[in-house]
Amino acid sequence: MAVTDAAIEKIKAMIVSGALRPGDRLPKEGELAAELGLSRNSLREAVRALSLLGILDVRQGDGTYVTSLDPQLLLRTLGFVLDFHRDDAMPEFLAVRRILEPAATALAASRITERQLDALSARLDALGPDPSVEELVACDLEFHRGIALSSGNSVLRALLDGLPGPAARARIRRGPAREDAVGRTLREHRAILAALRDRDAEAARSWATVHLASVERRLRDVP
């Protein structure tokens, strides 16, 4: 592993320094191994590891390329890692979401388009008066992902995309903790939407904070 780690660091250094840029094709295996002072086996292991992280793209019969290095691509492994969470870590996931999501909502207030606002409103309308827990959670995730997308910050969006998994599964498993969960969720969503339509960043931030606090409270109410 020490040899492979060294190989990874050498390839990383080439990318960070700009010697290899997004979309560039890596030199042939033998040439790159000689240039970096590596064995072919350690180079292959390093390439395999970096491809799993979304940094390199191995194309059979064509070669190995540096990916776009887009934050959405590089951070997608976050969701995979978070799938291994323990239930007792749930408050920490929610605390991070409580920091990031209101910020994304505030950013979206000045950037979201009328078309995007209409799409979010239509999604809420389509939910109906008596959705299942699964439908409610799916709508909630789509709603907040739509807002994160509208924030215009790809890193923030990627981080938030990785966070909902554990919380969503907990909400489905436990079900709404209060009888008015559906009505409350929809009211809070519409309040966020109204603030976004008014281009009121602070109101949007406040309503997002209220909504997340409400979700956390419902989750705590059910063992």
Side-chain angles (χ1 to χ4, degrees), residues 161-183:
D161 270 353
L163 285 175
R169 284 195 303 279
R171 290 162 69 186
I172 291 172
R173 185 173 65 248
R174 299 177 183 184
R178 299 175 184 272
E179 292 182 0
D180 65 341
V182 173

Side-chain angles (χ1 to χ4, degrees), residues 12-217:
K12 174 184 171 184
M14 293 180 72
I15 296 172
V16 172
S17 70
L20 286 173
R21 298 182 178 277
D24 282 355
R25 185 174 184 236
L26 270 65
K28 292 181 180 179
E29 184 181 272
E31 296 174 7
L32 185 58
E35 179 183 344
L36 298 178
L38 301 168
S39 70
R40 290 195 177 198
N41 282 339
S42 61
L43 178 60
R44 286 177 194 144
E45 289 300 322
V47 167
R48 185 176 295 112
L50 291 170
S51 67
L52 290 173
L53 292 172
I55 295 168
L56 297 180
D57 178 19
V58 180
R59 305 175 190 174
Q60 294 298 326
D62 186 13
T64 300
Y65 292 78
V66 180
T67 67
S68 65
L69 302 180
D70 182 86
Q72 199 74 19
L73 177 65
L74 297 180
L75 290 172
R76 72 181 178 184
T77 54
L78 175 65
F80 177 79
V81 172
L82 294 184
D83 282 340
F84 293 96
H85 81 286
R86 304 185 314 273
D87 282 349
D88 59 2
M90 183 59 60
E92 295 183 8
F93 287 116
L94 293 172
V96 173
R97 187 181 175 197
R98 193 165 61 242
I99 294 168
L100 297 180
E101 197 156 289
T105 308
L107 280 174
S110 62
R111 300 175 180 180
I112 194 167
T113 66
E114 289 297 323
R115 184 175 181 178
Q116 289 171 322
L117 286 166
D118 290 343
L120 290 175
S121 182
R123 181 66 181 90
L124 295 181
D125 292 341
L127 190 59
D130 190 28
S132 66
V133 177
E134 291 83 356
E135 290 169 335
L136 180 64
V137 171
C139 178
D140 183 73
L141 292 179
E142 286 181 38
F143 183 81
H144 293 290
R145 280 175 176 151
I147 293 173
L149 174 63
S150 303
S151 73
N153 187 310
S154 58
V155 175
L156 188 54
R157 176 191 171 195
L159 290 170
L160 284 169
D161 270 353
L163 285 175
R169 284 195 303 279
R171 290 162 69 186
I172 291 172
R173 185 173 65 248
R174 299 177 183 184
R178 299 175 184 272
E179 292 182 0
D180 65 341
V182 173
R184 181 185 292 271
T185 298
L186 290 177
R187 287 193 298 273
E188 291 164 353
H189 281 176
R190 294 202 181 278
I192 293 170
L193 204 54
L196 292 174
R197 283 196 186 277
D198 290 340
R199 308 296 172 181
D200 188 333
E202 288 312 308
R205 186 198 304 273
S206 296
W207 274 111
T209 303
V210 167
H211 173 59
L212 291 171
S214 177
V215 169
E216 290 184 44
R217 186 167 58 252

